[in-house]
Amino acid sequence: KDFAEMSLKDIDQVAKSSFPLCMRHLFEKLREDHHLKHGGRMQLGLFLKGVGLKLDDALAFWKAEFSRKVGAERFDKEYAYSIRHNYGKEGKRTDYTPYSCQKIISSTPGVGDHHGCPYRQFSEENLRAALGKMGVGNRALEDVIDKVRNRHYQLACTLTFEAVHGTSCDAGINHPNQYFSDSKRILEL
Ligand code: SF4
């Protein structure tokens, strides 16, 4: 099955079932606040491009949220450019690549930022709550927390993947878009 396209009407459902925690968190914050700061827009925007959200749908998606906060006009003026830019339609026309786990884990989000890797950034309490919401059961949850305490964030994410999907992930998680495509493959079997 081809994942080359993701349609907007499915996006909430798919975010719940197949986004890794870093992207779920950004997605939920965007829906909640109708806004994300630059680092979050880049991390989520490039991920969405990577899962096959077309440019027109991406513009519609971001505009629907940002308009509620800053108005449609300001969105068109200040934010649409950078989304087209991410798709290589502006500036140097570089086709920007979605961020790897390594890049995300090593990023340094400031106050009010929601990007970065939650396994590294969240307090233990918030992480437990977020994992519970994803359906990670008690025993698996303790294993995930154990990995986090030892700073093995990608292993923590891999264990989460395994707990949520009820199957092993031998290759391990090294890219949010890999998490997504592995998840889709399993769910669509
Ligand atoms: Fe995202 Fe990678 Fe962190 Fe998982 S390990 S939450 S995919 S950055």
Side-chain angles (χ1 to χ4, degrees), residues 123-145:
S123 67
E124 188 176 313
E125 192 189 345
N126 286 349
L127 184 58
R128 283 178 182 275
L131 292 169
K133 251 175 78 185
M134 286 176 84
V136 179
N138 282 342
R139 269 191 43 212
L141 207 148
E142 295 311 318
D143 291 344
V144 171
I145 297 293

mmCIF file with all atom_site columns, all heavy atoms in Angstrom, residues 123-145:
data_model
loop_
_atom_site.group_PDB
_atom_site.id
_atom_site.type_symbol
_atom_site.label_atom_id
_atom_site.label_alt_id
_atom_site.label_comp_id
_atom_site.label_asym_id
_atom_site.label_entity_id
_atom_site.label_seq_id
_atom_site.pdbx_PDB_ins_code
_atom_site.Cartn_x
_atom_site.Cartn_y
_atom_site.Cartn_z
_atom_site.occupancy
_atom_site.B_iso_or_equiv
_atom_site.pdbx_formal_charge
_atom_site.auth_seq_id
_atom_site.auth_comp_id
_atom_site.auth_asym_id
_atom_site.auth_atom_id
_atom_site.pdbx_PDB_model_num
ATOM 1   N N   . SER A 1 123 ? 8.555  16.415 31.815 1.00 0.00 ? 123 SER A N   1
ATOM 2   C CA  . SER A 1 123 ? 8.746  15.927 33.173 1.00 0.00 ? 123 SER A CA  1
ATOM 3   C C   . SER A 1 123 ? 8.226  14.483 33.216 1.00 0.00 ? 123 SER A C   1
ATOM 4   O O   . SER A 1 123 ? 7.428  14.084 32.358 1.00 0.00 ? 123 SER A O   1
ATOM 5   C CB  . SER A 1 123 ? 7.939  16.770 34.150 1.00 0.00 ? 123 SER A CB  1
ATOM 6   O OG  . SER A 1 123 ? 6.548  16.560 33.929 1.00 0.00 ? 123 SER A OG  1
ATOM 7   N N   . GLU A 1 124 ? 8.685  13.729 34.198 1.00 0.00 ? 124 GLU A N   1
ATOM 8   C CA  . GLU A 1 124 ? 8.235  12.338 34.277 1.00 0.00 ? 124 GLU A CA  1
ATOM 9   C C   . GLU A 1 124 ? 6.717  12.257 34.424 1.00 0.00 ? 124 GLU A C   1
ATOM 10  O O   . GLU A 1 124 ? 6.066  11.403 33.813 1.00 0.00 ? 124 GLU A O   1
ATOM 11  C CB  . GLU A 1 124 ? 8.926  11.619 35.450 1.00 0.00 ? 124 GLU A CB  1
ATOM 12  C CG  . GLU A 1 124 ? 8.630  10.122 35.438 1.00 0.00 ? 124 GLU A CG  1
ATOM 13  C CD  . GLU A 1 124 ? 9.375  9.346  36.514 1.00 0.00 ? 124 GLU A CD  1
ATOM 14  O OE1 . GLU A 1 124 ? 10.592 9.565  36.666 1.00 0.00 ? 124 GLU A OE1 1
ATOM 15  O OE2 . GLU A 1 124 ? 8.722  8.521  37.185 1.00 0.00 ? 124 GLU A OE2 1
ATOM 16  N N   . GLU A 1 125 ? 6.173  13.169 35.187 1.00 0.00 ? 125 GLU A N   1
ATOM 17  C CA  . GLU A 1 125 ? 4.726  13.176 35.406 1.00 0.00 ? 125 GLU A CA  1
ATOM 18  C C   . GLU A 1 125 ? 3.966  13.403 34.094 1.00 0.00 ? 125 GLU A C   1
ATOM 19  O O   . GLU A 1 125 ? 3.008  12.685 33.779 1.00 0.00 ? 125 GLU A O   1
ATOM 20  C CB  . GLU A 1 125 ? 4.399  14.287 36.413 1.00 0.00 ? 125 GLU A CB  1
ATOM 21  C CG  . GLU A 1 125 ? 3.006  14.239 36.961 1.00 0.00 ? 125 GLU A CG  1
ATOM 22  C CD  . GLU A 1 125 ? 2.691  15.496 37.777 1.00 0.00 ? 125 GLU A CD  1
ATOM 23  O OE1 . GLU A 1 125 ? 3.629  16.239 38.142 1.00 0.00 ? 125 GLU A OE1 1
ATOM 24  O OE2 . GLU A 1 125 ? 1.494  15.714 38.031 1.00 0.00 ? 125 GLU A OE2 1
ATOM 25  N N   . ASN A 1 126 ? 4.393  14.390 33.331 1.00 0.00 ? 126 ASN A N   1
ATOM 26  C CA  . ASN A 1 126 ? 3.742  14.667 32.053 1.00 0.00 ? 126 ASN A CA  1
ATOM 27  C C   . ASN A 1 126 ? 3.929  13.532 31.064 1.00 0.00 ? 126 ASN A C   1
ATOM 28  O O   . ASN A 1 126 ? 3.025  13.217 30.281 1.00 0.00 ? 126 ASN A O   1
ATOM 29  C CB  . ASN A 1 126 ? 4.277  15.968 31.438 1.00 0.00 ? 126 ASN A CB  1
ATOM 30  C CG  . ASN A 1 126 ? 3.740  17.178 32.170 1.00 0.00 ? 126 ASN A CG  1
ATOM 31  O OD1 . ASN A 1 126 ? 2.837  17.076 32.993 1.00 0.00 ? 126 ASN A OD1 1
ATOM 32  N ND2 . ASN A 1 126 ? 4.323  18.332 31.891 1.00 0.00 ? 126 ASN A ND2 1
ATOM 33  N N   . LEU A 1 127 ? 5.113  12.931 31.110 1.00 0.00 ? 127 LEU A N   1
ATOM 34  C CA  . LEU A 1 127 ? 5.378  11.821 30.193 1.00 0.00 ? 127 LEU A CA  1
ATOM 35  C C   . LEU A 1 127 ? 4.473  10.635 30.530 1.00 0.00 ? 127 LEU A C   1
ATOM 36  O O   . LEU A 1 127 ? 3.885  10.023 29.634 1.00 0.00 ? 127 LEU A O   1
ATOM 37  C CB  . LEU A 1 127 ? 6.856  11.420 30.259 1.00 0.00 ? 127 LEU A CB  1
ATOM 38  C CG  . LEU A 1 127 ? 7.288  10.337 29.271 1.00 0.00 ? 127 LEU A CG  1
ATOM 39  C CD1 . LEU A 1 127 ? 7.015  10.757 27.826 1.00 0.00 ? 127 LEU A CD1 1
ATOM 40  C CD2 . LEU A 1 127 ? 8.771  10.010 29.442 1.00 0.00 ? 127 LEU A CD2 1
ATOM 41  N N   . ARG A 1 128 ? 4.335  10.347 31.804 1.00 0.00 ? 128 ARG A N   1
ATOM 42  C CA  . ARG A 1 128 ? 3.450  9.246  32.208 1.00 0.00 ? 128 ARG A CA  1
ATOM 43  C C   . ARG A 1 128 ? 2.021  9.493  31.733 1.00 0.00 ? 128 ARG A C   1
ATOM 44  O O   . ARG A 1 128 ? 1.347  8.591  31.241 1.00 0.00 ? 128 ARG A O   1
ATOM 45  C CB  . ARG A 1 128 ? 3.450  9.089  33.733 1.00 0.00 ? 128 ARG A CB  1
ATOM 46  C CG  . ARG A 1 128 ? 4.690  8.401  34.270 1.00 0.00 ? 128 ARG A CG  1
ATOM 47  C CD  . ARG A 1 128 ? 4.652  8.315  35.797 1.00 0.00 ? 128 ARG A CD  1
ATOM 48  N NE  . ARG A 1 128 ? 5.856  7.696  36.326 1.00 0.00 ? 128 ARG A NE  1
ATOM 49  C CZ  . ARG A 1 128 ? 6.038  6.369  36.441 1.00 0.00 ? 128 ARG A CZ  1
ATOM 50  N NH1 . ARG A 1 128 ? 5.073  5.545  36.085 1.00 0.00 ? 128 ARG A NH1 1
ATOM 51  N NH2 . ARG A 1 128 ? 7.171  5.896  36.908 1.00 0.00 ? 128 ARG A NH2 1
ATOM 52  N N   . ALA A 1 129 ? 1.570  10.729 31.883 1.00 0.00 ? 129 ALA A N   1
ATOM 53  C CA  . ALA A 1 129 ? 0.206  11.061 31.465 1.00 0.00 ? 129 ALA A CA  1
ATOM 54  C C   . ALA A 1 129 ? 0.056  10.910 29.948 1.00 0.00 ? 129 ALA A C   1
ATOM 55  O O   . ALA A 1 129 ? -0.934 10.346 29.456 1.00 0.00 ? 129 ALA A O   1
ATOM 56  C CB  . ALA A 1 129 ? -0.139 12.486 31.898 1.00 0.00 ? 129 ALA A CB  1
ATOM 57  N N   . ALA A 1 130 ? 1.054  11.398 29.211 1.00 0.00 ? 130 ALA A N   1
ATOM 58  C CA  . ALA A 1 130 ? 0.980  11.333 27.746 1.00 0.00 ? 130 ALA A CA  1
ATOM 59  C C   . ALA A 1 130 ? 0.997  9.879  27.266 1.00 0.00 ? 130 ALA A C   1
ATOM 60  O O   . ALA A 1 130 ? 0.263  9.500  26.345 1.00 0.00 ? 130 ALA A O   1
ATOM 61  C CB  . ALA A 1 130 ? 2.146  12.110 27.130 1.00 0.00 ? 130 ALA A CB  1
ATOM 62  N N   . LEU A 1 131 ? 1.826  9.056  27.893 1.00 0.00 ? 131 LEU A N   1
ATOM 63  C CA  . LEU A 1 131 ? 1.911  7.649  27.500 1.00 0.00 ? 131 LEU A CA  1
ATOM 64  C C   . LEU A 1 131 ? 0.620  6.917  27.849 1.00 0.00 ? 131 LEU A C   1
ATOM 65  O O   . LEU A 1 131 ? 0.153  6.067  27.084 1.00 0.00 ? 131 LEU A O   1
ATOM 66  C CB  . LEU A 1 131 ? 3.115  6.983  28.182 1.00 0.00 ? 131 LEU A CB  1
ATOM 67  C CG  . LEU A 1 131 ? 4.485  7.474  27.712 1.00 0.00 ? 131 LEU A CG  1
ATOM 68  C CD1 . LEU A 1 131 ? 5.590  6.963  28.634 1.00 0.00 ? 131 LEU A CD1 1
ATOM 69  C CD2 . LEU A 1 131 ? 4.764  7.044  26.270 1.00 0.00 ? 131 LEU A CD2 1
ATOM 70  N N   . GLY A 1 132 ? 0.063  7.257  28.994 1.00 0.00 ? 132 GLY A N   1
ATOM 71  C CA  . GLY A 1 132 ? -1.214 6.665  29.381 1.00 0.00 ? 132 GLY A CA  1
ATOM 72  C C   . GLY A 1 132 ? -2.288 6.968  28.339 1.00 0.00 ? 132 GLY A C   1
ATOM 73  O O   . GLY A 1 132 ? -3.061 6.094  27.945 1.00 0.00 ? 132 GLY A O   1
ATOM 74  N N   . LYS A 1 133 ? -2.295 8.205  27.859 1.00 0.00 ? 133 LYS A N   1
ATOM 75  C CA  . LYS A 1 133 ? -3.265 8.605  26.840 1.00 0.00 ? 133 LYS A CA  1
ATOM 76  C C   . LYS A 1 133 ? -3.075 7.846  25.530 1.00 0.00 ? 133 LYS A C   1
ATOM 77  O O   . LYS A 1 133 ? -4.010 7.639  24.775 1.00 0.00 ? 133 LYS A O   1
ATOM 78  C CB  . LYS A 1 133 ? -3.121 10.108 26.555 1.00 0.00 ? 133 LYS A CB  1
ATOM 79  C CG  . LYS A 1 133 ? -4.293 10.926 27.076 1.00 0.00 ? 133 LYS A CG  1
ATOM 80  C CD  . LYS A 1 133 ? -4.091 12.414 26.898 1.00 0.00 ? 133 LYS A CD  1
ATOM 81  C CE  . LYS A 1 133 ? -4.352 12.895 25.482 1.00 0.00 ? 133 LYS A CE  1
ATOM 82  N NZ  . LYS A 1 133 ? -4.024 14.337 25.310 1.00 0.00 ? 133 LYS A NZ  1
ATOM 83  N N   . MET A 1 134 ? -1.810 7.458  25.268 1.00 0.00 ? 134 MET A N   1
ATOM 84  C CA  . MET A 1 134 ? -1.543 6.678  24.053 1.00 0.00 ? 134 MET A CA  1
ATOM 85  C C   . MET A 1 134 ? -1.923 5.213  24.229 1.00 0.00 ? 134 MET A C   1
ATOM 86  O O   . MET A 1 134 ? -1.863 4.438  23.279 1.00 0.00 ? 134 MET A O   1
ATOM 87  C CB  . MET A 1 134 ? -0.055 6.767  23.675 1.00 0.00 ? 134 MET A CB  1
ATOM 88  C CG  . MET A 1 134 ? 0.362  8.088  23.089 1.00 0.00 ? 134 MET A CG  1
ATOM 89  S SD  . MET A 1 134 ? 2.162  8.147  22.772 1.00 0.00 ? 134 MET A SD  1
ATOM 90  C CE  . MET A 1 134 ? 2.259  7.355  21.145 1.00 0.00 ? 134 MET A CE  1
ATOM 91  N N   . GLY A 1 135 ? -2.243 4.827  25.457 1.00 0.00 ? 135 GLY A N   1
ATOM 92  C CA  . GLY A 1 135 ? -2.635 3.449  25.698 1.00 0.00 ? 135 GLY A CA  1
ATOM 93  C C   . GLY A 1 135 ? -1.491 2.536  26.103 1.00 0.00 ? 135 GLY A C   1
ATOM 94  O O   . GLY A 1 135 ? -1.577 1.320  25.960 1.00 0.00 ? 135 GLY A O   1
ATOM 95  N N   . VAL A 1 136 ? -0.405 3.125  26.600 1.00 0.00 ? 136 VAL A N   1
ATOM 96  C CA  . VAL A 1 136 ? 0.711  2.305  27.078 1.00 0.00 ? 136 VAL A CA  1
ATOM 97  C C   . VAL A 1 136 ? 0.368  1.810  28.480 1.00 0.00 ? 136 VAL A C   1
ATOM 98  O O   . VAL A 1 136 ? 0.157  2.615  29.391 1.00 0.00 ? 136 VAL A O   1
ATOM 99  C CB  . VAL A 1 136 ? 2.024  3.124  27.107 1.00 0.00 ? 136 VAL A CB  1
ATOM 100 C CG1 . VAL A 1 136 ? 3.172  2.278  27.624 1.00 0.00 ? 136 VAL A CG1 1
ATOM 101 C CG2 . VAL A 1 136 ? 2.338  3.671  25.719 1.00 0.00 ? 136 VAL A CG2 1
ATOM 102 N N   . GLY A 1 137 ? 0.302  0.504  28.644 1.00 0.00 ? 137 GLY A N   1
ATOM 103 C CA  . GLY A 1 137 ? -0.100 -0.086 29.923 1.00 0.00 ? 137 GLY A CA  1
ATOM 104 C C   . GLY A 1 137 ? 1.000  -0.012 30.970 1.00 0.00 ? 137 GLY A C   1
ATOM 105 O O   . GLY A 1 137 ? 2.139  0.336  30.666 1.00 0.00 ? 137 GLY A O   1
ATOM 106 N N   . ASN A 1 138 ? 0.642  -0.320 32.203 1.00 0.00 ? 138 ASN A N   1
ATOM 107 C CA  . ASN A 1 138 ? 1.530  -0.126 33.344 1.00 0.00 ? 138 ASN A CA  1
ATOM 108 C C   . ASN A 1 138 ? 2.931  -0.694 33.216 1.00 0.00 ? 138 ASN A C   1
ATOM 109 O O   . ASN A 1 138 ? 3.907  -0.006 33.470 1.00 0.00 ? 138 ASN A O   1
ATOM 110 C CB  . ASN A 1 138 ? 0.890  -0.709 34.607 1.00 0.00 ? 138 ASN A CB  1
ATOM 111 C CG  . ASN A 1 138 ? -0.159 0.254  35.136 1.00 0.00 ? 138 ASN A CG  1
ATOM 112 O OD1 . ASN A 1 138 ? -0.150 1.435  34.771 1.00 0.00 ? 138 ASN A OD1 1
ATOM 113 N ND2 . ASN A 1 138 ? -1.060 -0.248 35.964 1.00 0.00 ? 138 ASN A ND2 1
ATOM 114 N N   . ARG A 1 139 ? 3.007  -1.976 32.829 1.00 0.00 ? 139 ARG A N   1
ATOM 115 C CA  . ARG A 1 139 ? 4.341  -2.591 32.801 1.00 0.00 ? 139 ARG A CA  1
ATOM 116 C C   . ARG A 1 139 ? 5.208  -1.981 31.718 1.00 0.00 ? 139 ARG A C   1
ATOM 117 O O   . ARG A 1 139 ? 6.375  -1.662 31.948 1.00 0.00 ? 139 ARG A O   1
ATOM 118 C CB  . ARG A 1 139 ? 4.228  -4.104 32.632 1.00 0.00 ? 139 ARG A CB  1
ATOM 119 C CG  . ARG A 1 139 ? 4.187  -4.744 33.980 1.00 0.00 ? 139 ARG A CG  1
ATOM 120 C CD  . ARG A 1 139 ? 4.343  -6.252 34.014 1.00 0.00 ? 139 ARG A CD  1
ATOM 121 N NE  . ARG A 1 139 ? 5.319  -6.887 33.192 1.00 0.00 ? 139 ARG A NE  1
ATOM 122 C CZ  . ARG A 1 139 ? 5.143  -8.118 32.688 1.00 0.00 ? 139 ARG A CZ  1
ATOM 123 N NH1 . ARG A 1 139 ? 4.011  -8.749 32.888 1.00 0.00 ? 139 ARG A NH1 1
ATOM 124 N NH2 . ARG A 1 139 ? 6.094  -8.691 31.976 1.00 0.00 ? 139 ARG A NH2 1
ATOM 125 N N   . ALA A 1 140 ? 4.629  -1.815 30.552 1.00 0.00 ? 140 ALA A N   1
ATOM 126 C CA  . ALA A 1 140 ? 5.372  -1.196 29.450 1.00 0.00 ? 140 ALA A CA  1
ATOM 127 C C   . ALA A 1 140 ? 5.778  0.221  29.826 1.00 0.00 ? 140 ALA A C   1
ATOM 128 O O   . ALA A 1 140 ? 6.881  0.682  29.520 1.00 0.00 ? 140 ALA A O   1
ATOM 129 C CB  . ALA A 1 140 ? 4.522  -1.199 28.182 1.00 0.00 ? 140 ALA A CB  1
ATOM 130 N N   . LEU A 1 141 ? 4.872  0.896  30.531 1.00 0.00 ? 141 LEU A N   1
ATOM 131 C CA  . LEU A 1 141 ? 5.146  2.276  30.924 1.00 0.00 ? 141 LEU A CA  1
ATOM 132 C C   . LEU A 1 141 ? 6.381  2.367  31.815 1.00 0.00 ? 141 LEU A C   1
ATOM 133 O O   . LEU A 1 141 ? 7.233  3.231  31.626 1.00 0.00 ? 141 LEU A O   1
ATOM 134 C CB  . LEU A 1 141 ? 3.914  2.841  31.628 1.00 0.00 ? 141 LEU A CB  1
ATOM 135 C CG  . LEU A 1 141 ? 3.719  4.350  31.558 1.00 0.00 ? 141 LEU A CG  1
ATOM 136 C CD1 . LEU A 1 141 ? 2.237  4.691  31.541 1.00 0.00 ? 141 LEU A CD1 1
ATOM 137 C CD2 . LEU A 1 141 ? 4.387  5.049  32.712 1.00 0.00 ? 141 LEU A CD2 1
ATOM 138 N N   . GLU A 1 142 ? 6.492  1.437  32.757 1.00 0.00 ? 142 GLU A N   1
ATOM 139 C CA  . GLU A 1 142 ? 7.678  1.441  33.622 1.00 0.00 ? 142 GLU A CA  1
ATOM 140 C C   . GLU A 1 142 ? 8.949  1.174  32.810 1.00 0.00 ? 142 GLU A C   1
ATOM 141 O O   . GLU A 1 142 ? 9.991  1.767  33.093 1.00 0.00 ? 142 GLU A O   1
ATOM 142 C CB  . GLU A 1 142 ? 7.538  0.414  34.745 1.00 0.00 ? 142 GLU A CB  1
ATOM 143 C CG  . GLU A 1 142 ? 6.407  0.707  35.739 1.00 0.00 ? 142 GLU A CG  1
ATOM 144 C CD  . GLU A 1 142 ? 6.408  2.136  36.271 1.00 0.00 ? 142 GLU A CD  1
ATOM 145 O OE1 . GLU A 1 142 ? 7.496  2.666  36.588 1.00 0.00 ? 142 GLU A OE1 1
ATOM 146 O OE2 . GLU A 1 142 ? 5.310  2.739  36.364 1.00 0.00 ? 142 GLU A OE2 1
ATOM 147 N N   . ASP A 1 143 ? 8.850  0.310  31.822 1.00 0.00 ? 143 ASP A N   1
ATOM 148 C CA  . ASP A 1 143 ? 10.016 0.038  30.967 1.00 0.00 ? 143 ASP A CA  1
ATOM 149 C C   . ASP A 1 143 ? 10.424 1.283  30.187 1.00 0.00 ? 143 ASP A C   1
ATOM 150 O O   . ASP A 1 143 ? 11.609 1.568  30.016 1.00 0.00 ? 143 ASP A O   1
ATOM 151 C CB  . ASP A 1 143 ? 9.703  -1.109 29.987 1.00 0.00 ? 143 ASP A CB  1
ATOM 152 C CG  . ASP A 1 143 ? 9.573  -2.449 30.693 1.00 0.00 ? 143 ASP A CG  1
ATOM 153 O OD1 . ASP A 1 143 ? 10.023 -2.549 31.860 1.00 0.00 ? 143 ASP A OD1 1
ATOM 154 O OD2 . ASP A 1 143 ? 9.021  -3.394 30.080 1.00 0.00 ? 143 ASP A OD2 1
ATOM 155 N N   . VAL A 1 144 ? 9.417  2.017  29.699 1.00 0.00 ? 144 VAL A N   1
ATOM 156 C CA  . VAL A 1 144 ? 9.707  3.242  28.952 1.00 0.00 ? 144 VAL A CA  1
ATOM 157 C C   . VAL A 1 144 ? 10.397 4.258  29.863 1.00 0.00 ? 144 VAL A C   1
ATOM 158 O O   . VAL A 1 144 ? 11.431 4.837  29.504 1.00 0.00 ? 144 VAL A O   1
ATOM 159 C CB  . VAL A 1 144 ? 8.405  3.844  28.363 1.00 0.00 ? 144 VAL A CB  1
ATOM 160 C CG1 . VAL A 1 144 ? 8.671  5.232  27.779 1.00 0.00 ? 144 VAL A CG1 1
ATOM 161 C CG2 . VAL A 1 144 ? 7.817  2.924  27.295 1.00 0.00 ? 144 VAL A CG2 1
ATOM 162 N N   . ILE A 1 145 ? 9.851  4.435  31.067 1.00 0.00 ? 145 ILE A N   1
ATOM 163 C CA  . ILE A 1 145 ? 10.425 5.401  32.013 1.00 0.00 ? 145 ILE A CA  1
ATOM 164 C C   . ILE A 1 145 ? 11.864 5.022  32.368 1.00 0.00 ? 145 ILE A C   1
ATOM 165 O O   . ILE A 1 145 ? 12.736 5.873  32.489 1.00 0.00 ? 145 ILE A O   1
ATOM 166 C CB  . ILE A 1 145 ? 9.553  5.477  33.295 1.00 0.00 ? 145 ILE A CB  1
ATOM 167 C CG1 . ILE A 1 145 ? 8.146  5.991  32.965 1.00 0.00 ? 145 ILE A CG1 1
ATOM 168 C CG2 . ILE A 1 145 ? 10.216 6.329  34.378 1.00 0.00 ? 145 ILE A CG2 1
ATOM 169 C CD1 . ILE A 1 145 ? 8.073  7.435  32.508 1.00 0.00 ? 145 ILE A CD1 1
#
